[in-house]
Amino acid sequence: MSKTNRNHLLGLCLLSLAATTSFAQNSAFDDTEFGDFAGSLSAEFAEFEAAQTQEWDSFVSEIRAEHDAFIADLERYWGNETESSDRSKWVEYAKNRRIKRTVDFEKNQIRISVLGTPAPEEMQRIVNQQLQAALETRSDQANQEYPIVARMQEAASAPKLPPVPVVAELKELSGQKTAPKAAVALAKKAKIDVVEIKPAPAKKKATAPSKPKRNSTAPAAAPKETKATVAVIDLSESWPVRRARKYSDAVTRFAAEMDIPRSLAFAIMYTESSFNPVAVSPIPAYGLMQVVPGSAGRDVTKLHFGKERLLSPDYLFTADKNIEVGIGYLNILDKRYLRKITDPLSRKYCTIAAYNTGAGNVAKAFTGKLNISRASKIINEMSPDEVYNTLRTKLPYEETRKYIKKVTAAEKQFMSL
């Protein structure tokens, strides 16, 4: 599908959704009917996309397929040591694929990996060079080789924003003011190790519909090298706190504007990305609060910005914009979709779950149906503890059942930040 046709399709999708929303707001619905509509809007939009925008779904599948092919190419070099950017890691490769740089936000660590066993002086040079490159990389440069970023960037309609450094705070953490000096200071902490490279695990091939019992696997390509040298830099334990504080002003501002607990915004941000501003996932979702451009992003831009936009990865890699959109979506869930849940704590538990899986799936945990208005009546007869336990045991997806536990536990850590 050409970019022109795809953009035309996106325009039609947005116009259709806007028309649906306008009809709901202006027709003679009573409160119950409108509540049913608003409460299930997220689910209805998902159904709308599935029925009316198959080309959009195909585009997303196309991106994922290209992304998988990109990873498979990396595995030809790195085998089982292949890493890629995800929610908690930012991974970049040299053009010749012989060098890999990993900033691990969850493990509080930087790893510089080189194929083979270079001489100590050469390894030191590479480590210094890669650390400086990481310190100087801007938000519009991160992850640009990844199809899940580059292709979505082409389709997006978000405005361009001034880029910002991804990990500028590491200069302060090293006690240095310039990237070259900070790189040298960080490199002194490196511990060198040599790891064995084995073929990547074989991947299951897609099963043909006409042969449902077939379950063959794709053979893994043998990597070109059998060893890699890895420099591991363990960062200061204060780095996660510094990252959280770096976003404090934006969280405070938007949480106040949208009447969302500041601690909840931090907890979701931490759970979604470990404070990785260039986080990506194949949903696709981007940035600190893992905003999905095609669902949460459209809801927020329509309500808060007055015009629906397909937000770009670059836009969502800009921390304050991502925080604005992420907290904006929490506001929509809390104040609109879940507004009929009367107990604030019960509603917060449902909001957390809905951020991960949508309001419709929250309703299914209580009624087996997508209608949140009807589910609200049941929820309102339960205590907050009963609501929490129901979500923990009956949400449709295990990921979301674990998610609500992680967020509620994390929120306690950010009460005093």
Side-chain angles (χ1 to χ4, degrees):
M1 178 170 48
S2 72
K3 181 178 178 182
T4 301
N5 289 339
R6 187 177 298 120
N7 287 340
H8 177 65
L9 168 65
L10 293 176
L12 290 175
C13 292
L14 298 181
L15 286 172
S16 298
L17 180 60
T20 304
T21 305
S22 176
F23 172 76
Q25 291 172 338
N26 294 308
S27 65
F29 281 4
D30 63 24
D31 185 62
T32 299
E33 289 172 323
F34 179 72
D36 289 349
F37 171 82
S40 61
L41 180 58
S42 184
E44 288 177 2
F45 181 44
E47 292 171 3
F48 171 83
E49 281 193 314
Q52 304 296 328
T53 63
Q54 292 183 6
E55 289 185 59
W56 166 254
D57 292 337
S58 176
F59 173 53
V60 172
S61 296
E62 187 181 303
I63 291 176
R64 290 173 181 164
E66 289 187 17
H67 189 78
D68 289 345
F70 174 74
I71 301 303
D73 182 65
L74 294 175
E75 289 174 347
R76 293 172 50 235
Y77 298 85
W78 289 89
N80 66 320
E81 290 295 319
T82 302
E83 296 179 280
S84 61
S85 291
D86 57 24
R87 290 185 173 195
S88 62
K89 289 185 298 188
W90 168 34
V91 185
E92 301 280 4
Y93 287 83
K95 288 184 178 180
N96 64 6
R97 304 299 186 226
R98 296 192 62 82
I99 300 172
K100 175 181 63 172
R101 181 178 72 238
T102 305
V103 180
D104 195 322
F105 292 83
E106 185 174 21
K107 292 186 177 179
N108 205 32
Q109 190 178 81
I110 297 176
R111 298 185 292 275
I112 309 299
S113 307
V114 183
L115 289 175
T117 54
E121 298 80 7
E122 175 64 7
M123 186 66 187
Q124 187 66 47
R125 184 191 68 78
I126 292 171
V127 169
N128 286 340
Q129 180 189 60
Q130 289 297 313
L131 288 171
Q132 182 175 337
L135 292 166
E136 293 176 342
T137 299
R138 306 172 312 184
S139 53
D140 65 335
Q141 299 169 324
N143 296 323
Q144 291 302 309
E145 251 199 310
Y146 291 82
I148 205 165
V149 172
R151 291 291 305 279
M152 190 63 72
Q153 194 77 24
E154 294 175 3
S157 57
K160 290 286 186 181
L161 296 171
V164 294
V166 177
V167 288
E169 73 279 1
L170 285 180
K171 287 190 290 186
E172 299 174 12
L173 199 64
S174 69
Q176 302 295 329
K177 294 183 178 179
T178 66
K181 289 183 178 180
V184 171
L186 290 169
K188 290 179 180 178
K189 300 179 180 181
K191 297 178 182 178
I192 308 298
D193 192 14
V194 175
V195 299
E196 184 179 357
I197 296 179
K198 301 177 182 178
K203 293 180 175 61
K204 289 183 179 181
K205 288 182 178 179
T207 303
S210 58
K211 299 179 181 180
K213 294 184 180 180
R214 182 182 176 187
N215 192 26
S216 60
T217 57
K224 298 180 179 181
E225 298 277 357
T226 59
K227 292 181 179 180
T229 304
V230 184
V232 178
I233 299 105
D234 288 314
L235 299 167
S236 166
E237 293 181 359
S238 66
W239 188 37
V241 177
R242 283 177 179 264
R243 296 202 307 275
R245 287 178 176 164
K246 182 169 72 169
Y247 309 124
S248 182
D249 287 348
V251 171
T252 299
R253 173 188 168 191
F254 295 120
E257 285 182 4
M258 301 179 200
D259 193 24
I260 293 297
R262 188 172 177 272
S263 57
L264 176 59
F266 269 120
I268 285 181
M269 193 185 307
Y270 173 75
T271 304
E272 290 286 352
S273 69
S274 298
F275 300 121
N276 173 8
V278 292
V280 297
S281 65
I283 291 172
Y286 305 93
L288 287 165
M289 298 188 75
Q290 283 292 276
V291 175
V292 181
S295 56
R298 286 176 177 169
D299 279 359
V300 174
T301 55
K302 173 66 176 178
L303 179 64
H304 292 287
F305 308 152
K307 181 180 180 181
E308 285 181 348
R309 293 181 182 273
L310 185 67
L311 299 175
S312 67
D314 283 3
Y315 187 97
L316 294 172
F317 287 162
T318 304
D320 61 338
K321 295 300 181 184
N322 188 284
I323 292 168
E324 181 180 15
V325 175
I327 295 179
Y329 188 52
L330 286 171
N331 171 273
I332 289 173
L333 292 170
D334 180 66
K335 312 301 181 190
R336 292 199 168 202
Y337 297 163
L338 305 172
R339 75 189 193 283
K340 290 189 176 182
I341 300 173
T342 55
D343 185 273
L345 184 54
S346 293
R347 192 168 64 252
K348 182 169 77 168
Y349 289 148
C350 291
T351 297
I352 292 169
Y355 192 91
N356 179 264
T357 194
N361 280 329
V362 169
K364 285 183 73 174
F366 296 91
T367 66
K369 305 293 183 181
L370 295 173
N371 191 305
I372 192 64
S373 182
R374 293 173 186 171
S376 295
K377 296 176 182 178
I378 295 173
I379 293 169
N380 289 338
E381 295 176 354
M382 303 170 72
S383 70
D385 284 347
E386 289 173 328
V387 171
Y388 177 83
N389 290 332
T390 299
L391 292 168
R392 284 278 294 126
T393 58
K394 294 187 177 181
L395 279 163
Y397 301 107
E398 182 181 2
E399 176 191 338
T400 313
R401 295 195 291 270
K402 292 179 178 179
Y403 182 85
I404 186 172
K405 182 179 179 180
K406 290 179 182 178
V407 173
T408 51
E411 187 178 9
K412 298 174 184 177
Q413 303 176 32
F414 297 105
M415 291 291 189
S416 59
L417 184 66

